[in-house]
Amino acid sequence: FALQRHSCCVPPAAVPRGPAQNSGRSGSHGGAVNRGIRQQKLPAAPLNSSIPISAFTPNTVRGTAGRTLPQLYQEYSRRLFAANAMDFDDLLLKAVEPFKNDPDVLEMCTEDGELRCIPISETGRAFFWNQSTFDLAGIAVPDSFDALCQAGTVFKEKLGDAYYPLALGWYDRMLFTVYLLQCRYGREWVSGGALQYSESEIAWALETIEMLEQTHVIPPLKQIAGGGADSFDKDENWITGRYGGIYEWDSSAGKFIDSLESGQKLTVGTYFSDLGEYHGGFSKIAQGFAISKHTADPEACAELIAFLVSNEEAVRLLGTERGIPLNHKAYDICGSAGLLGDISAEAYQRMNDWIGFRIDPDFEHASLKGTGGVYEDVFTGLSYGDYSVSQAADRLYAGIQAALAGE
């Protein structure tokens, strides 16, 4: 199968119609359909077409002289129904159908008016707190931004310089910047290809992050880099509880729980309502399936997608490995199977109830998020003292503008 994730879905009109599914089964279980229809495959065309049969070669369709294409299509549909089969277009519609009540989800996978992939799961950033560390400090996990700021002083005085309430890497800080701005101003990060925040507004968010570092709420990036780990689940400071919290994708909770030393307890935090009247932060598609325009058998790929997103056995096997399922049918199947009781499901539900913004397609552009890109340069430079807040804001603003302009 030439099935790809986040790829370009071949337009149905470019694919010959034919059988693709039998009794909801995938793979090669369509033998009866193949024998009953594929030998007499009919060409694809609109239902309202009046093209005469003379436009087709004798070998294409047998026993159809004098019949128009709508009549042929009726016969084609009758045979599909009799064989308990669906054609390629219907298979894709079957995969999309579970999302009919969530058009915003499909919109995230749509470009130039075409659905580019079938979304499987969605994810967003959430706060996770090490309850054991906060118990050691004698305070509750933060339920407000003010409480988070106060926790920095408590951690330093009661636990020592090595302990911090929250750890944020350079990309975490970029996401936290967006969270701060959207909570305060309530605007999309990018709309219509244009950045919706001014350089001065971005400077305010960077100043806030600098304040968190200076007041012992978050560790300096130099200290995080000294840990020698490429992610916090591998960082000794997280594993032993010296970092009391993280701001991570809800779908990643499992690995952070698994990495904690015995006796540590991770809990899902709340979003901070005292940052503003809006619900900041955005979600994105964690996984999507698409069909490459170069595949030799798009019908089989469509059948596989339909199977993965709607077949009960397949949904149970996949579970929440790639995040909480987006479509309601798969979600209900997982719920009935008892697969939605973990911390990832709790974090997803909290995220889903809070977040009202969607990620901009260019937010993770290589020039911005890539190693040595704008985000790393700005936040590392600010933390190391190489840039002032105004210089960092200028570089971030200019870098994003350049990425949006395609430079």
Side-chain angles (χ1 to χ4, degrees):
F1 295 119
L3 188 65
Q4 300 180 349
R5 290 184 291 180
H6 299 297
S7 182
C8 176
C9 185
V10 60
V15 183
R17 288 182 178 271
Q21 185 176 13
N22 182 27
S23 302
R25 292 176 292 178
S26 68
S28 60
H29 295 292
V33 181
N34 295 342
R35 290 190 296 273
I37 300 178
R38 189 167 296 221
Q39 293 176 359
Q40 302 183 50
K41 183 181 292 186
L42 306 182
L47 285 176
N48 62 357
S49 173
S50 60
I51 303 173
I53 192 64
S54 58
F56 300 92
T57 63
N59 291 330
T60 304
V61 184
R62 299 171 185 157
T64 57
R67 299 168 66 184
T68 63
L69 199 53
Q71 293 172 324
L72 294 177
Y73 190 87
Q74 288 181 343
E75 175 64 15
Y76 172 52
S77 299
R78 185 190 67 76
R79 296 188 186 184
L80 284 173
F81 182 79
N84 194 26
M86 289 187 290
D87 71 3
F88 181 40
D89 292 358
D90 292 334
L91 270 171
L92 291 181
L93 289 174
K94 183 72 173 177
V96 173
E97 187 178 31
F99 305 98
K100 63 183 179 181
N101 294 324
D102 294 303
D104 288 346
V105 171
L106 293 179
E107 183 64 29
M108 286 196 287
C109 301
T110 301
E111 183 178 351
D112 298 330
E114 291 186 357
L115 185 64
R116 299 294 183 176
C117 70
I118 302 298
I120 303 302
S121 57
E122 182 183 16
T123 188
R125 288 280 171 139
F127 291 102
F128 296 95
W129 306 110
N130 187 326
Q131 181 69 60
S132 304
T133 301
F134 279 87
D135 288 345
L136 190 63
I139 58 175
V141 298
D143 58 1
S144 68
F145 186 68
D146 183 61
L148 173 64
C149 294
Q150 293 179 27
T153 301
V154 176
F155 267 55
K156 185 174 182 178
E157 292 178 350
K158 291 192 174 182
L159 302 179
D161 289 343
Y163 284 78
Y164 292 86
L166 179 66
L168 297 174
W170 57 262
Y171 186 54
D172 305 325
R173 296 180 187 212
M174 182 62 215
L175 291 165
F176 198 76
T177 294
V178 176
Y179 170 62
L180 290 171
L181 288 166
Q182 290 181 332
C183 282
R184 185 173 189 176
Y185 298 106
R187 301 194 294 267
E188 292 282 1
W189 179 244
V190 169
S191 181
L195 181 63
Q196 298 300 295
Y197 292 89
S198 67
E199 188 174 326
S200 62
E201 290 170 336
I202 291 174
W204 166 80
L206 298 185
E207 187 175 20
T208 302
I209 289 177
E210 185 178 56
M211 177 273 293
L212 293 176
E213 190 173 288
Q214 292 173 348
T215 56
H216 203 80
V217 175
I218 60 176
L221 288 179
K222 186 176 183 179
Q223 179 173 326
I224 292 175
D230 59 4
S231 61
F232 286 130
D233 62 300
K234 304 171 187 174
D235 193 313
E236 192 69 18
N237 291 294
W238 168 257
I239 295 170
T240 58
R242 289 194 289 269
Y243 291 163
I246 50 175
Y247 183 57
E248 260 295 343
W249 301 113
D250 61 80
S251 55
S252 299
K255 68 178 183 180
F256 291 101
I257 293 176
D258 293 341
S259 64
L260 288 174
E261 283 186 344
S262 177
Q264 309 280 336
K265 180 182 178 182
L266 195 66
T267 62
V268 182
T270 60
Y271 295 91
F272 302 143
S273 59
D274 59 339
L275 282 172
E277 59 181 300
Y278 305 101
H279 290 189
F282 52 60
S283 61
K284 68 173 185 176
I285 298 300
Q287 183 184 42
F289 289 135
I291 302 173
S292 170
K293 62 182 178 181
H294 303 296
T295 181
D297 199 339
E299 296 173 1
C301 292
E303 183 178 359
L304 179 58
I305 291 176
F307 176 80
L308 290 173
V309 302
S310 60
N311 178 272
E312 183 169 352
E313 181 182 4
V315 170
R316 284 174 179 266
L317 288 173
L318 183 60
T320 60
E321 288 296 317
R322 295 297 298 173
I324 307 302
L326 261 175
N327 76 70
H328 298 302
K329 180 178 180 181
Y331 185 89
D332 290 341
I333 291 172
C334 287
S336 299
L339 300 175
L340 299 179
D342 62 6
I343 194 170
S344 291
E346 182 184 354
Y348 170 79
Q349 191 59 57
R350 190 158 291 181
M351 180 278 297
N352 194 48
D353 290 343
W354 172 271
I355 287 178
F357 299 98
R358 306 291 189 183
I359 194 172
D360 170 66
D362 288 316
F363 189 84
E364 296 181 332
H365 191 280
S367 67
L368 299 175
K369 187 188 174 186
T371 302
V374 172
Y375 299 156
E376 182 179 13
D377 170 64
V378 166
F379 289 99
T380 301
L382 181 62
S383 180
Y384 278 62
D386 297 332
Y387 303 142
S388 65
V389 167
S390 61
Q391 289 172 328
D394 175 70
R395 294 181 73 88
L396 183 57
Y397 184 83
I400 293 170
Q401 296 284 32
L404 292 175
E407 298 176 7

